[in-house]
Amino acid sequence: QNYTDPDLLRLLSVFPQYRTGPLVTAPYILETAAAKNELAAASGALAGDLESEHLHKVCLATGIKMVSVRTISHTTQQDLPVPGDILINPESGKTDPSAIFRYLFTHPAKAAQFARLVTGAKVAQQSLARALAEILPALLKRGNDGD
């Protein structure tokens, strides 16, 4: 709700299969379930990410209406199996598969948990694609109707 244009949010209410609610942007990757739960309790957010707040500020400054659509790849009950700075390189913002492999090679007990994280990310990606296929036509129709 908090990173979506109010007019567009009202339009999205025609999709009852999706939940709407507050989103929180964390200042860094939250690695533990405890850290995620603490932020969720403090913010009241249904989900968290690293980018929506920043994108929202850019959209507001440039007059672009924003819709924030998120899917969940892992829950507040799950610790990340790999430290955040290995999962995503803090300097490049990219994943380095060799760094992840080196970490898992030295921490083999984390391999199954990492596989679940990857599977969850793939499921979330597919869910997001399905949601966008439903939502975008409604938003584009609204734009073509002159609203």
Side-chain angles (χ1 to χ4, degrees):
Q1 294 168 328
N2 49 324
Y3 299 128
T4 296
D5 176 83
D7 292 334
L8 298 178
L9 185 61
R10 280 190 290 281
L11 178 65
L12 294 177
S13 67
V14 301
F15 297 99
Q17 67 272 36
Y18 301 113
R19 291 179 62 186
T20 60
L23 177 67
V24 64
T25 296
Y28 52 85
I29 295 174
L30 302 176
E31 297 177 9
T32 66
K36 294 178 203 177
N37 283 307
E38 185 177 314
L39 183 61
S43 68
L46 293 179
D49 69 10
L50 296 173
E51 57 278 326
S52 290
E53 179 180 354
H54 309 290
L55 292 169
H56 187 247
K57 287 178 182 177
V58 171
C59 288
L60 284 176
T62 56
I64 297 171
K65 290 186 175 193
M66 177 175 162
V67 175
S68 181
V69 179
R70 310 306 298 183
T71 57
I72 307 301
S73 61
H74 55 283
T75 71
T76 59
Q77 305 310 309
Q78 298 169 298
D79 290 340
L80 287 181
V82 176
D85 62 340
I86 292 174
L87 192 60
I88 298 175
N89 182 305
E91 291 182 23
S92 69
K94 297 180 180 179
T95 299
D96 178 358
S98 63
I100 294 171
F101 177 78
R102 283 190 302 275
Y103 180 83
L104 292 174
F105 186 77
T106 59
H107 300 83
K110 298 284 187 174
Q113 192 179 359
F114 181 75
R116 284 191 297 275
L117 177 68
V118 171
T119 299
K122 286 180 182 178
V123 170
Q125 182 182 33
Q126 293 166 349
S127 177
L128 180 60
R130 282 191 305 274
L132 291 176
E134 290 181 27
I135 293 168
L136 286 177
L139 295 176
L140 293 172
K141 181 182 182 315
R142 179 187 181 275
N144 290 333
D145 289 343
D147 292 331

